[in-house]
Amino acid sequence: MVACPSPVSHGGRVLHAVEPHFEFFITADRKIRLTPLGEDNKPIALKDQSATATGGDRSNPIKFTFAKEGESLVSDKALPAGNDNPPLILQIKLSADAKPVTERFNVNLADCGICKHKEYACTCDHDH
C-alpha cells in the first residue's frame, strides 16, 4: 500500500500500511525519523517496533538502522546529498517476531511550491 502524505506533528508523510500508522520525516540533518501515530495523528509511545531501510545508489546502497529517541525511531545515517534521492526501501516490524511491513518510495527533498511541504510529504494533488 502506498503511503498517503498528510501533515502531522513534524510535517512528514504518514505511512498507512502499518497499524499504528507512522510518520516518515526527514530531519534537518537528513536523518529519517519514524514516529508512531494514534488515531488523531498525534505521536504515541513506541512499544516493540523496529525498522530498517535501504537506499542510495543500487551499486553502493546505504543500509540504515534505527534507534529509539523519545517517541521516535531515528536512523543512524543521513540521506545522501541532493534533493531527489533514489528509491528507499523501508521495513517496519511491529514486534520482534512480526513479519516486516515494506514500503518503497522516492524521497524527494525539494520544496513543493503549493503546500510548502517537502515533495515526499506533499499534501497537494499535483503530479509528483
Side-chain angles (χ1 to χ4, degrees):
M1 171 187 235
V2 173
C4 177
S6 177
V8 293
S9 60
H10 298 106
R13 177 185 187 128
V14 177
L15 306 176
H16 291 277
V18 292
E19 189 65 45
H21 302 321
F22 274 74
E23 177 190 26
F24 175 92
F25 179 74
I26 304 301
T27 64
D29 59 355
R30 302 178 69 87
K31 290 189 176 184
I32 303 166
R33 177 179 298 275
L34 299 170
T35 305
L37 303 172
E39 290 184 24
D40 58 357
N41 276 352
K42 298 217 186 287
I44 59 173
L46 274 170
K47 294 184 180 171
D48 296 333
Q49 298 102 328
S50 63
T52 60
T54 304
D57 185 16
R58 282 185 175 210
S59 64
N60 188 22
I62 300 168
K63 300 214 183 267
F64 300 89
T65 58
F66 292 78
K68 183 177 178 179
E69 279 187 24
E71 302 171 325
S72 302
L73 296 169
V74 178
S75 66
D76 61 335
K77 297 178 183 89
L79 290 172
N83 281 344
D84 198 13
N85 285 277
L88 182 80
I89 301 169
L90 175 66
Q91 293 190 314
I92 298 174
K93 289 180 74 173
L94 298 177
S95 66
D97 58 345
K99 183 178 177 184
V101 176
T102 302
E103 289 275 349
R104 291 176 176 85
F105 52 90
N106 291 332
V107 182
N108 186 340
L109 297 173
D111 292 325
C112 174
I114 300 169
C115 72
K116 307 302 181 203
H117 287 91
K118 299 293 184 189
E119 284 290 346
Y120 77 89
C122 179
T123 58
C124 344
D125 245 353
H126 70 87
D127 186 28
H128 299 299

